[in-house]
Amino acid sequence: MGPWWALWLILTLPQILESQTPTTPQGFPQLTNFESDQFQGEWFVLGLAGNTYKREHRSLLHPYITLFELKNNSHFRVTNSMTRGKRCDTWSYSLIPTTKPGQFTVENKGSRADKEDMQVIETDYIKFSLMLSLRQTSSQTITRVSLLGRNWRLSHQMIDKFICLTRTQNLTKNNFIFPDVTDWLPDPKLC
Ligand SMILES: *[C@@H]1O[C@H](CO)[C@@H](O)[C@H](O)[C@H]1NC(C)=O
Ligand SMILES: *[C@@H]1O[C@H](CO)[C@@H](O)[C@H](O)[C@H]1NC(C)=O
């Protein structure tokens, strides 16, 4: 290793390490443990918002099914399926656990995708789960917040928590794909 290369590593490594650790959003405590065996199985993506989404994307996307399969007792194989008219689109990826409970890196086989971290922010395993995904491209961080439910029903409390989490990521109501929260006022005590 040449000296310039070593110098470059010393100068850039701390920054790289720093950006790889997504911090816990304000108001949501860091998970102290995560039970992958309880988390696996079928979920429904009932809420979706992100900093690259705009109102005009709403007609393209709607709630969909996501299946978490625990492989080799360590990583998740995630398969999503969304029906669009008579078509059913499916896409999948793997979630490789990091050392932090509920935190994963996304692995897309076959494509050299941008680095993406996915984090379970809160879950009770039986009703809902809040997820935060941060994808680092060369020019920006793409933020996506999703609300998962074990069935198709959305409760007020779930929507409130979802909105609180989107606020920690500075998302606006225009960044929501679904549900439509235009007239929704979350409980002010929550966030
Ligand atoms: C499964 O996990 C074991 C122990 O961690 C490892 O040795 C093995 O290579 C893994 N198998 C696959 C298919 O990932
Ligand atoms: C949200 O905006 C505030 C004020 O501009 C900023 O300090 C904070 O870092 C932002 N948070 C995120 C997650 O971008």
Side-chain angles (χ1 to χ4, degrees):
M1 195 192 284
W4 285 111
W5 176 246
L7 186 62
W8 180 84
L9 267 186
I10 290 162
L11 290 175
T12 57
L13 203 56
Q15 264 171 312
I16 294 169
L17 291 178
E18 223 170 300
S19 71
Q20 274 173 349
T21 318
T23 51
T24 309
Q26 222 179 355
F28 291 88
Q30 171 89 50
L31 290 189
T32 49
N33 70 324
F34 180 75
E35 308 290 343
S36 358
D37 54 333
Q38 289 184 45
F39 193 83
Q40 67 182 328
E42 193 173 60
W43 289 95
F44 300 95
V45 181
L46 305 172
L48 186 65
N51 63 350
T52 56
Y53 294 142
K54 299 196 173 71
R55 275 176 179 274
E56 54 264 34
H57 297 130
R58 286 185 190 168
S59 58
L60 301 173
L61 299 167
H62 45 84
Y64 57 94
I65 298 172
T66 183
L67 179 68
F68 281 73
E69 293 172 283
L70 197 53
K71 297 286 184 190
N72 202 15
N73 214 20
S74 66
H75 68 273
F76 280 120
R77 184 76 193 151
V78 183
T79 310
N80 301 294
S81 13
M82 185 188 286
T83 50
R84 286 194 250 205
K86 285 183 180 163
R87 277 219 330 255
C88 180
D89 291 331
T90 65
W91 68 103
S92 55
Y93 50 84
S94 294
L95 289 182
I96 314 298
T98 68
T99 51
K100 284 201 177 158
Q103 261 187 34
F104 303 87
T105 55
V106 179
E107 195 183 80
N108 283 301
K109 285 241 163 61
S111 71
R112 233 191 78 87
D114 302 310
K115 183 174 161 45
E116 182 170 357
D117 291 299
M118 208 179 258
Q119 198 179 347
V120 177
I121 301 297
E122 191 179 336
T123 186
D124 64 357
Y125 302 100
I126 52 165
K127 286 200 191 90
F128 81 99
S129 171
L130 285 171
M131 316 265 295
L132 171 64
S133 148
L134 299 173
R135 194 164 99 213
Q136 197 64 55
T137 73
S138 51
S139 56
Q140 63 168 335
T141 302
I142 299 177
T143 306
R144 208 156 21 93
V145 175
S146 44
L147 169 65
L148 277 55
R150 284 295 193 187
N151 58 49
W152 288 112
R153 274 194 309 278
L154 263 175
S155 70
H156 276 235
Q157 202 202 9
M158 280 157 67
I159 299 178
D160 279 357
K161 280 177 186 283
F162 180 53
I163 293 178
C164 292
L165 181 56
T166 62
R167 286 188 182 170
T168 67
Q169 302 304 309
N170 295 340
L171 302 180
T172 70
K173 289 187 175 181
N174 286 333
N175 294 138
F176 279 68
I177 296 282
F178 51 80
D180 186 349
V181 293
T182 313
D183 301 319
W184 194 276
L185 289 173
D187 183 348
K189 286 194 293 286
L190 270 174
C191 60

